[in-house]
Amino acid sequence: MSNRILLSATVNDTPGVLQRVAGLFSRRSYNIESITVGPCEREGRSRMIVAARGDEALVRQMCSQLNKLVDVLDVVRLQERSFVSRDLMLVKLRMDPSKRSELQSLTDTFRCSVIDVSPEAVILQVVGDKDKNDAFLQLLRPYGILEMTRTGETAMSRGLVHGG
């Protein structure tokens, strides 16, 4: 059975690390659903959050292969612990002024923000877990989505657990 997984990898912040990780996934035909990378709490290190799918054997293989890369310092499977995750989504909608109050009700319900308004369009910022953002996106489709972008999921272990 193929499950969606999140891997948290601490890596050296050096040129080419992202390419080596992506190259590993490509060579092994592992599909990356999303990947986020940025500086972490330790200077000279970055954290990558990789969302992928695989059965137990494939996930173990992914972790094993990642750990073999020189610049990968540790890999944590976030589903083995309690964790929080968020996805940032920006959505530009065609905006009929008569629909603004209706849209405001939706943005209040989903606790998202209107970050830009023009006479014909509005840009919304949504931060939440992937499922919440997917549900909100479905509700926005009737308004006429002009453009949409997502950061991909980033995540962290809850509590005092290190490495996620």
Side-chain angles (χ1 to χ4, degrees):
M1 183 165 98
S2 181
N3 296 316
R4 187 167 190 278
I5 55 127
L6 290 173
L7 300 175
S8 174
T10 305
V11 299
N12 288 321
D13 186 11
T14 56
V17 174
L18 178 59
Q19 187 275 328
R20 286 188 284 281
V21 169
L24 169 87
F25 275 71
S26 175
R27 284 189 306 279
R28 298 284 180 161
S29 297
Y30 305 148
N31 186 38
I32 297 173
E33 288 189 1
S34 73
I35 187 167
T36 60
V37 62
C40 69
E41 70 283 358
R42 291 181 275 172
E43 191 169 324
R45 307 280 198 258
S46 293
R47 179 153 297 118
M48 287 185 186
I49 305 296
V50 180
R53 288 193 179 274
D55 59 20
E56 181 58 30
L58 187 63
V59 172
R60 265 186 281 150
Q61 189 179 43
M62 285 178 195
C63 292
S64 173
Q65 294 298 316
L66 279 170
N67 276 313
K68 290 179 182 177
L69 295 176
V70 171
D71 287 313
V72 175
L73 305 173
D74 64 52
V75 178
V76 173
R77 293 170 59 174
L78 289 172
Q79 276 82 0
E80 292 179 342
R81 307 165 179 193
S82 178
F83 70 98
V84 294
S85 67
R86 293 293 180 264
D87 176 38
L88 168 67
M89 181 169 70
L90 300 177
V91 184
K92 185 187 297 180
L93 300 172
R94 183 176 315 282
M95 187 43 52
D96 178 347
S98 68
K99 302 269 185 181
R100 285 190 195 263
S101 63
E102 186 179 309
L103 183 63
Q104 185 64 47
S105 175
L106 270 178
T107 59
D108 291 346
T109 301
F110 279 81
R111 288 184 268 164
C112 60
S113 307
V114 176
I115 60 171
D116 188 65
V117 176
S118 69
E120 314 82 29
V122 61
I123 298 176
L124 305 176
Q125 171 185 287
V126 188
V127 178
D129 66 38
K130 181 184 177 307
D131 293 339
K132 172 195 159 193
N133 289 357
D134 289 344
F136 187 63
L137 193 58
Q138 291 305 314
L139 293 173
L140 293 178
R141 291 201 186 283
Y143 292 93
I145 296 173
L146 298 172
E147 195 173 339
M148 189 271 296
T149 186
R150 296 175 87 153
T151 60
E153 204 166 358
T154 192
M156 181 178 286
S157 295
R158 299 181 79 195
L160 295 177
V161 177
H162 171 70

